[in-house]
Amino acid sequence: MIWSLCLIFSLFNSLLIFASPAKQLCRSDQKNALLEFKSEFHFNGIAANEKTQRWTNTTDCCSWDGISCDIKTGNVVELNLWGSSLNGSLRSNSSLFRLQHLQSLNLSSNNLAGILPDSIGNFKYLKVLKLYGCSFFGNIPSSLGNLSYLTHLDLDGNDFTGELPESLSNLHQLTKLLLASSKLTGNFHHALLNLSELTAIDFSSNQFEGMLPSNMSSFSKLEYFDMSVNSFSGPIPSSLFMIPSLTRLNLEKNIFSGPVEIGNISSPSKLQELSLGGNNLNGTIPGSISKLVGLSYLDLSFWDTERGLVDFSIFLHLKSLTLLDISHLNTRRNNLHISSTLHLPSPIGSLGLSSCNISEFPKFLRTQTGLFFLNISANQFQGHIPEWLWRLPGLGYLDISQNSFSGFEGASDDHFILASDNQFSGNIPTKICELLALETLVLTNNNFSGSLPRCFENFNTTLSVLHLRNNSLSGNIPEEFFSVSLISLDVGRNKLSGELPKSLINCTKLEFLNVEDNEISDTFPFWLRMLPSLQILVLRSNRFHGPIFSPGDSLSFPKLRIFDISENLFTGVLPLDYFAGWSTMSSVVYIAYDKLHRFIGFTFSNYHKSVVLANKGSKMELLGSSFRIYKTIDVSGNRLEGDIPQSISLLKELIVLNMSNNAFTGRIPPSLSNLTNLQSLDLSQNRLSGTIPPELEKLTFLAWMNFSNNMLEGPIPQGTQIQSQNSSSFAHNPGLCGAPLKRSCGEGEEEARKQDEGKEEKDQVLSWIAAAIAYAPGVFCGFVIGHILSSYRHDWFMRIFRSFA
């Protein structure tokens, strides 16, 4: 009966609860603070619909996406708005700071460009702070040292500058300190050694310098240590290898020097990843590296062995090794010894042997059935590629560039083939067309000839990178030639002719298009504006002709960052708003920070992509990361005319502007002073008139300029950047005066006055001479006329006299 009564009472109580109005857990002050915080930003993108858009005043804020509350107090203890398309700065008086009970805050991957306010240090209960990829700039606030409960601090992928605040050494409970991919400077503070709870430290891709402390073993719980891509120098502390918990150590791309001492390792090492490549390390590769038996990833590239013999067998003890990179050993002779009977105990997946001065193909590769990535570029291989190489079942990435291979027979299921800078000749082998999974094909700088294989249409859905630059290929580009998956296409420096195939319009992922130095004869491809991802367009040195503007059509390239149509036959006038829709050149484009890219190891985007541009009066080649930095426009060497479009001043991110060798007229727009990032300006060999706008003095980054061979006049502006130019930059403008020209403006005016006076005197002399010349015939005519009149008058008087008589 007692159990029955309890059950009845429990059911009755439940009914009462369900019958009563739902009570909201969230406190009203917390809800108001969150709603006000939302109102401080503007939103864009789909992500905004997934979180904050569902925040309404009629629902319990503890049920909102990204919100967690303390079930006892109703206080908001977690706010996670990762990737929620927040746009706007985080103000020091933001309502966010009224959420005083927060224990976890994640605003990562939003556009919060601005200063991280000191108010961030007021969250006294905060344990987790994630603000990676938010575009914060300025100094890291020292107030972070007030967060005594903080265990996880992630500020990766911002634009922070200055040194680390020493107050971070107060965070004694901190386990993760992640500050990668910013612009931080200074040394590695010794005070950080007091943070004995740290398991992960990442300062990679900054501007740190100096030496690392020698007693790194005080980080007794450290598992992950990444100082890559900085300017750290001196020896690598051997104490790092003594940390028993360390699994990942990345020191690549610094300026560490000297030999490496691994030291005596008493217990089995847990180290799985060791990256020391891209430094100034020298001496013998230590044999004690074989003690790191748990290594699966080993990068010793760019090690200067000082001509010492490197025996590949030292790696045989590393039975877990799946990635090995010993490229660029900086030897002048064949010092890498690979025995013909060598057999690796473990299947290796990635192997880098680039620039190791080896001439005999490593035979141990025959048995590496799990090999996916092989880079043997920049060695001394000759002749034909071994046929057994193509039969390796797992090979997906093969880089044989910069050798002397001449035979390209065979085919495999490779996804990425890089074979540039060899001695291949004849037609491009049709065997390649059998590689139905091919994603990247780079055959630049060879001697291939003949036409482009029509069988490339087999790659209709797979091929994303096709580079055939600098060969002797001829004929038309087939319409069916392109894969709809193309991201990068380079067929520059060949002998291709005909028109640019309109089937390119189907390549909606295309970012890079280079057809320079061919014999293509076509009108401007207006239809390229339909490609939403196009960033680089190079049509230079062909036979393109006609206008580059079509009335009624907007030429909008929202993502374009390099536009080079120089040395063609383009004509016509550009409207004032020609550059109005070129968004990427107009403003800084926010790119969400992706942390995953830093842990991939070998990347598959390191194919040889290059563009030669005119910059500062000479040719320069862009490679690698330069493409992300440079934003250029080059329309030089055409027949364009009319005024320079005023809309050019909208392109505030422009670095290089070359409009030389055309027929532009009118004045130089003063609004060019809006291009505050401009480094190179060439307006030479046109028909520009008027003065050089003094507003250009504001362009403090403008290191090179050329106004020569125009019809400019007046004084040259006196700004520091302008005055530092050579006089040739202003030559052949008869009306220009002032430094750096030898003709001063005052002397020029006096000379002009004297010339005017001389001209006036000459005019007066000429007038007198003309008058004198005209006087003689006038006198003669006067005598004749007078004689005629007097004779006539005499006869008239005689007739009158006779009539009276």
Side-chain angles (χ1 to χ4, degrees):
M1 287 183 65
I2 293 174
W3 279 109
S4 299
L5 289 172
C6 288
L7 179 61
I8 293 170
F9 177 78
S10 177
L11 290 173
F12 180 73
N13 191 44
S14 298
L15 288 173
L16 288 176
I17 291 174
F18 281 114
S20 62
K23 181 180 179 182
Q24 292 194 5
L25 175 62
C26 182
R27 288 171 42 182
S28 59
D29 63 320
Q30 305 279 282
K31 176 187 288 188
N32 292 336
L34 287 169
L35 291 174
E36 287 180 36
F37 177 67
K38 173 185 174 181
S39 68
E40 294 172 11
F41 301 94
H42 61 275
F43 298 85
N44 56 31
I46 300 175
N49 298 324
E50 297 175 353
K51 289 187 178 179
T52 56
Q53 195 173 38
R54 299 194 183 106
W55 291 11
T56 62
N57 199 28
T58 58
T59 57
D60 186 353
C61 76
C62 294
S63 66
W64 292 350
D65 291 340
I67 304 296
S68 295
C69 296
D70 186 316
I71 58 174
K72 294 182 179 179
T73 64
N75 290 317
V76 174
V77 295
E78 180 178 0
L79 175 60
N80 185 351
L81 293 181
W82 174 88
S84 297
S85 299
L86 303 181
N87 286 273
S89 60
L90 183 61
R91 302 196 301 263
S92 59
N93 60 348
S94 171
S95 57
L96 172 70
F97 301 115
R98 301 212 305 264
L99 303 175
Q100 282 295 304
H101 296 273
L102 273 181
Q103 298 177 24
S104 178
L105 174 62
N106 188 350
L107 301 178
S108 303
S109 295
N110 287 290
N111 186 18
L112 306 180
I115 304 294
L116 180 60
D118 287 331
S119 313
I120 197 71
N122 295 337
F123 291 120
K124 59 182 179 180
Y125 299 111
L126 201 63
K127 297 179 180 179
V128 176
L129 178 59
K130 296 182 180 181
L131 299 175
Y132 63 81
C134 289
S135 299
F136 286 118
F137 54 79
N139 293 333
I140 294 177
S142 59
S143 61
L144 286 176
N146 300 333
L147 306 178
S148 56
Y149 291 104
L150 201 64
T151 61
H152 189 130
L153 177 60
D154 190 346
L155 302 179
D156 282 359
N158 286 284
D159 291 315
F160 288 117
T161 54
E163 299 188 10
L164 286 182
E166 291 198 28
S167 60
L168 293 183
S169 61
N170 298 332
L171 306 178
H172 295 290
Q173 297 192 41
L174 200 63
T175 60
K176 289 182 173 61
L177 178 58
L178 310 178
L179 304 173
S181 302
S182 281
K183 300 173 183 176
L184 296 167
T185 56
N187 298 333
F188 188 97
H189 290 318
H190 283 68
L192 295 178
L193 296 173
N194 297 326
L195 305 181
S196 57
E197 297 297 315
L198 279 173
T199 62
I201 305 176
D202 190 349
F203 290 179
S204 63
S205 299
N206 278 285
Q207 299 170 20
F208 289 111
E209 57 187 1
M211 298 173 60
L212 293 179
S214 58
N215 55 334
M216 301 294 287
S217 55
S218 62
F219 291 125
S220 56
K221 299 181 181 180
L222 196 62
E223 300 174 5
Y224 172 52
F225 189 69
D226 192 342
M227 297 289 118
S228 61
V229 197
N230 278 286
S231 297
F232 287 112
S233 58
I236 294 175
S238 59
S239 56
L240 276 171
F241 300 99
M242 308 299 291
I243 301 175
S245 55
L246 194 63
T247 60
R248 299 179 63 186
L249 174 59
N250 190 347
L251 304 177
E252 68 181 8
K253 297 180 181 178
N254 280 279
I255 48 178
F256 289 113
S257 58
V260 173
E261 298 290 339
I262 293 182
N264 296 320
I265 302 176
S266 55
S267 58
S269 171
K270 293 183 179 180
L271 201 60
Q272 299 174 11
E273 176 184 330
L274 176 59
S275 300
L276 305 179
N279 283 285
N280 294 331
L281 301 174
N282 56 10
T284 304
I285 296 177
S288 54
I289 204 167
S290 60
K291 296 180 181 179
L292 306 177
V293 292
L295 279 181
S296 60
Y297 185 117
L298 177 60
D299 182 358
L300 303 178
S301 60
F302 292 91
W303 191 304
D304 186 358
T305 61
E306 298 179 339
R307 298 196 175 190
L309 181 66
V310 178
D311 193 338
F312 198 86
S313 62
I314 66 173
F315 306 113
L316 293 181
H317 296 281
L318 307 178
K319 301 184 185 303
S320 301
L321 199 62
T322 59
L323 185 149
L324 174 63
D325 189 359
I326 54 174
S327 300
H328 301 276
L329 288 180
N330 293 341
T331 59
R332 298 183 182 178
R333 60 182 181 177
N334 188 1
N335 283 349
L336 178 60
H337 176 66
I338 303 178
S339 171
S340 59
T341 59
L342 179 70
H343 179 76
L344 292 182
S346 61
I348 197 162
S350 299
L351 180 62
L353 297 175
S354 175
S355 191
C356 287
N357 290 306
I358 50 180
S359 55
E360 184 179 355
F361 220 91
K363 290 184 174 58
F364 75 90
L365 293 177
R366 286 176 179 262
T367 60
Q368 295 302 307
T369 56
L371 185 65
F372 177 79
F373 181 105
L374 177 61
N375 185 351
I376 54 171
S377 63
N379 281 291
Q380 301 174 20
F381 300 118
Q382 298 180 2
H384 290 243
I385 301 170
E387 289 190 14
W388 56 262
L389 182 64
W390 300 111
R391 293 196 292 270
L392 292 178
L395 192 62
Y397 184 106
L398 175 63
D399 190 348
I400 55 175
S401 304
Q402 294 180 274
N403 281 288
S404 297
F405 286 118
S406 56
F408 202 90
E409 290 78 10
S412 70
D413 292 329
D414 294 21
H415 300 279
F416 306 86
I417 298 178
L418 291 84
S420 65
D421 297 275
N422 277 284
Q423 297 179 9
F424 298 119
S425 59
N427 293 331
I428 295 176
T430 55
K431 281 276 188 181
I432 293 178
C433 299
E434 299 176 11
L435 310 179
L436 300 182
L438 189 65
E439 295 181 37
T440 295
L441 178 62
V442 179
L443 302 177
T444 60
N445 300 328
N446 280 288
N447 297 312
F448 286 115
S449 57
S451 58
L452 296 171
R454 292 184 176 272
C455 63
F456 273 28
E457 64 182 351
N458 295 349
F459 308 130
N460 187 43
T461 59
T462 60
L463 195 64
S464 60
V465 176
L466 178 59
H467 287 185
L468 306 176
R469 177 185 182 83
N470 200 20
N471 282 281
S472 296
L473 300 167
S474 58
N476 295 355
I477 305 176
E479 281 285 348
E480 63 276 12
F481 186 68
F482 304 111
S483 162
V484 295
S485 299
L486 265 183
I487 296 175
S488 182
L489 174 65
D490 190 347
V491 292
R493 296 189 180 181
N494 281 286
K495 300 176 182 178
L496 300 172
S497 56
E499 298 181 351
L500 194 64
K502 290 184 174 58
S503 56
L504 269 172
I505 200 172
N506 299 320
C507 305
T508 55
K509 299 178 182 178
L510 193 66
E511 299 177 1
F512 179 93
L513 175 60
N514 189 351
V515 298
E516 66 176 336
D517 287 317
N518 278 287
E519 300 171 7
I520 299 173
S521 179
D522 199 354
T523 56
F524 185 81
F526 292 100
W527 40 269
L528 286 177
R529 69 182 186 276
M530 305 299 293
L531 301 179
S533 302
L534 191 63
Q535 299 181 28
I536 298 168
L537 174 60
V538 182
L539 307 179
R540 183 178 62 239
S541 298
N542 278 281
R543 297 175 183 172
F544 287 99
H545 54 273
I548 62 174
F549 166 69
S550 177
D553 290 333
S554 171
L555 191 65
S556 176
F557 287 117
K559 292 191 176 180
L560 204 64
R561 59 183 66 243
I562 294 179
F563 180 66
D564 187 349
I565 61 170
S566 61
E567 307 299 330
N568 279 287
L569 302 171
F570 290 119
T571 57
V573 176
L574 303 183
L576 294 178
D577 61 347
Y578 188 77
F579 298 104
W582 299 30
S583 308
T584 297
M585 294 192 189
S586 301
S587 59
V588 177
V589 177
Y590 172 67
I591 301 174
Y593 178 69
D594 179 12
K595 298 189 70 173
L596 294 177
H597 79 281
R598 303 179 52 254
F599 306 114
I600 294 175
F602 285 120
T603 64
F604 301 134
S605 60
N606 59 349
Y607 48 81
H608 185 69
K609 180 170 64 174
S610 68
V611 166
V612 176
L613 297 176
N615 182 31
K616 301 180 182 179
S618 59
K619 300 290 185 181
M620 66 171 293
E621 185 175 17
L622 293 186
L623 294 170
S625 61
S626 299
F627 287 97
R628 297 193 299 270
I629 301 172
Y630 270 84
K631 296 180 181 180
T632 73
I633 289 178
D634 191 344
V635 298
S636 63
N638 284 286
R639 301 171 183 175
L640 300 173
E641 54 189 359
D643 291 343
I644 295 175
Q646 290 285 348
S647 56
I648 195 77
S649 62
L650 298 174
L651 310 184
K652 297 181 180 179
E653 297 299 306
L654 202 61
I655 290 179
V656 177
L657 175 59
N658 189 350
M659 308 184 83
S660 65
N661 199 13
N662 278 284
F664 286 113
T665 56
R667 294 177 173 268
I668 299 174
S671 57
L672 283 180
S673 60
N674 293 336
L675 308 183
T676 52
N677 290 308
L678 200 63
Q679 298 178 14
S680 177
L681 173 64
D682 194 345
L683 301 178
S684 63
Q685 300 186 62
N686 280 288
R687 300 173 187 172
L688 298 170
S689 59
T691 60
I692 298 176
E695 290 86 351
L696 298 187
E697 296 177 7
K698 302 175 183 177
L699 301 180
T700 55
F701 289 112
L702 190 56
W704 189 90
M705 61 197 79
N706 193 348
F707 301 102
S708 64
N709 293 280
N710 279 287
M711 295 181 286
L712 300 171
E713 58 186 8
I716 297 172
Q718 299 299 302
T720 304
Q721 296 297 100
I722 297 178
Q723 291 298 305
S724 65
Q725 302 300 305
N726 192 286
S727 60
S728 60
S729 297
F730 307 94
H732 305 291
N733 285 282
L736 278 182
C737 59
L741 295 178
K742 294 181 179 179
R743 183 174 68 253
S744 68
C745 294
E747 292 177 359
E749 292 173 1
E750 180 65 23
E751 184 179 346
R753 186 183 61 80
K754 290 180 179 179
Q755 288 179 353
D756 289 342
E757 290 178 355
K759 185 173 183 288
E760 185 177 348
E761 291 176 0
K762 287 182 180 180
D763 290 343
Q764 290 177 353
V765 171
L766 289 173
S767 298
W768 282 108
I769 292 174
I773 292 173
Y775 177 73
V779 172
F780 174 76
C781 291
F783 276 118
V784 172
I785 295 171
H787 176 70
I788 293 172
L789 289 174
S790 60
S791 299
Y792 176 78
R793 187 172 52 189
H794 174 74
D795 291 342
W796 182 71
F797 276 111
M798 288 300 294
R799 284 198 299 270
I800 293 176
F801 177 75
R802 286 191 184 124
S803 65
F804 279 103

